[in-house]
């Protein structure tokens, strides 16, 4: 059995909100149809319904905060683990939400902050723009990161930047930990694991898989080339 851990954003969906998936994305989706797909995403159960793919196995949702088993039920062991962390960070997440609100108001960015809860406890904070304006989200990301770096939660919370939303949540809650947990539950019937993502923030979970797939012109490869000192074209020049 082949298991593919896929972040659908920019892989099974268009890279830019409002556009249609390109030919390469459609072809990749067809190639992955023979694998057991495990979504690894910041979406919740409802948001995942909008993704054009059949997910019938494990599911890693909300940036690793939620894991669903193949029956579609929330995994009780993973829920207990994350609950301890989320209880510890309740105050930090509420302050992060207040900071996100103030950033939108003071800078007049038009952004909207939301504190998401699950089972009665804060889960994460998102900051979005109703028209997905990239310059507004970029400015908000810089301000929010500065607040984090200069405050008491540096190294404890993390900021995830996506094309349509910014998300802040505890550092201990992450996709790689959730993927590692799912791998431990799959057993020996798995012959090959694939990690598929277009997001640089997913490199840790991609490294857990036997092979990783990412767009050649995407941000993951750009980050890798930057770490190596530039692209081959730069070296030739």
């Amino acid at each position: 059995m082949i298991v593919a851990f896929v972040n659908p954003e920019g892989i099974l969906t268009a890279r830019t909100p409002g556009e249609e998936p390109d030919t390469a994305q459609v072809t990749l989706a067809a190639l992955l149809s023979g694998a057991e797909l495990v979504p690894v995403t910041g979406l919740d159960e409802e948001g995942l319904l909008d993704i054009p793919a059949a997910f019938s196995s494990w599911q890693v949702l909300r940036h690793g905060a939620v894991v669903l088993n193949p029956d579609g039920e929330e995994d009780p062991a993973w829920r207990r683990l994350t609950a301890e962390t989320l209880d510890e960070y309740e105050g930090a997440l509420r302050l992060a939400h207040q900071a996100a609100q103030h950033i939108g108001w003071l800078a007049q960015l038009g952004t909207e902050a939301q504190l998401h809860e699950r089972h009665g406890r804060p889960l994460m904070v998102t900051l979005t723009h109703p028209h997905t304006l990239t310059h507004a989200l970029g400015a908000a990301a810089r301000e929010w990161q500065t607040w984090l770096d200069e405050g008491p939660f540096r190294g404890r919370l993390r900021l995830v930047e996506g094309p349509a939303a910014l998300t802040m949540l505890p550092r201990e809650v992450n996709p790689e930990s959730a993927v590692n947990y799912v791998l431990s539950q799959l057993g020996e019937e798995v012959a090959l694991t694939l990690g598929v993502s277009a997001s640089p923030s997913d490199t840790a979970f991609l490294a857990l898989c036997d092979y990783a797939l990412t767009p050649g012109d995407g941000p993951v490869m750009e980050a890798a080339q930057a770490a190596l000192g530039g692209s081959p074209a730069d070296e030739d020049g």
Side-chain angles (χ1 to χ4, degrees):
M1 178 175 65
I2 299 175
V3 178
F5 293 89
V6 183
N7 182 345
E9 190 173 52
I11 293 293
L12 302 179
T13 64
R15 300 183 190 180
T16 303
E19 294 184 353
E20 293 294 324
D22 59 29
T23 302
Q25 290 171 310
V26 174
T27 303
L28 177 59
L31 290 173
L32 293 174
S33 63
E36 189 164 327
L37 297 183
V38 177
V40 183
T41 175
L43 298 171
D44 58 11
E45 295 94 323
E46 183 177 352
L48 196 64
L49 295 176
D50 295 329
I51 303 299
F55 300 112
S56 58
S57 181
W58 292 81
Q59 298 179 24
V60 176
L61 309 177
R62 291 305 205 182
H63 299 285
V66 177
V67 171
L68 304 185
N69 62 33
D71 294 327
E73 302 293 332
E74 189 168 350
D75 184 80
W78 190 254
R79 177 179 170 180
R80 286 193 297 271
L81 287 172
T82 55
E84 295 176 2
T85 299
L86 293 172
D87 284 341
E88 178 184 352
Y89 283 87
E90 178 178 354
L93 290 172
R94 293 192 184 280
L95 289 174
H97 177 231
Q98 292 178 10
Q101 288 179 313
H102 292 159
I103 287 169
W105 295 336
L106 296 175
Q108 298 182 336
L109 297 174
T111 52
E112 300 173 350
Q114 182 177 359
L115 177 64
H116 300 263
E117 296 187 351
R118 192 178 182 94
H119 305 306
R121 59 172 58 88
L123 181 70
M124 63 184 191
V125 183
T126 59
L127 196 154
T128 59
H129 191 280
H131 304 297
T132 320
L133 295 182
T134 55
H135 71 272
L137 289 173
R142 291 189 294 272
E143 292 294 329
W144 213 10
Q145 186 64 56
T146 299
W147 172 86
L148 180 59
D149 292 340
E150 296 179 352
F153 307 117
R154 180 180 182 181
R156 304 183 67 197
L157 298 178
R158 65 188 182 97
L159 176 62
V160 181
E161 297 186 43
L166 309 175
T167 304
M168 191 170 290
L169 68 168
R171 188 169 292 276
E172 288 91 340
V173 177
N174 53 65
E176 58 268 26
S177 296
V179 168
N180 192 50
Y181 174 77
V182 172
L183 285 170
S184 72
Q185 303 299 308
L186 288 174
E188 298 180 355
E189 69 272 16
V190 179
L192 179 70
T193 58
L194 296 176
V196 189
S197 175
S199 173
S201 63
D202 287 336
T203 52
F205 97 71
L206 294 178
L208 296 172
C209 302
D210 296 318
Y211 292 94
L213 299 176
T214 187
D217 60 348
V220 177
M221 290 303 297
E222 290 178 358
Q225 290 172 349
L228 293 174
S231 65
D234 293 335
E235 295 174 0
D236 293 340

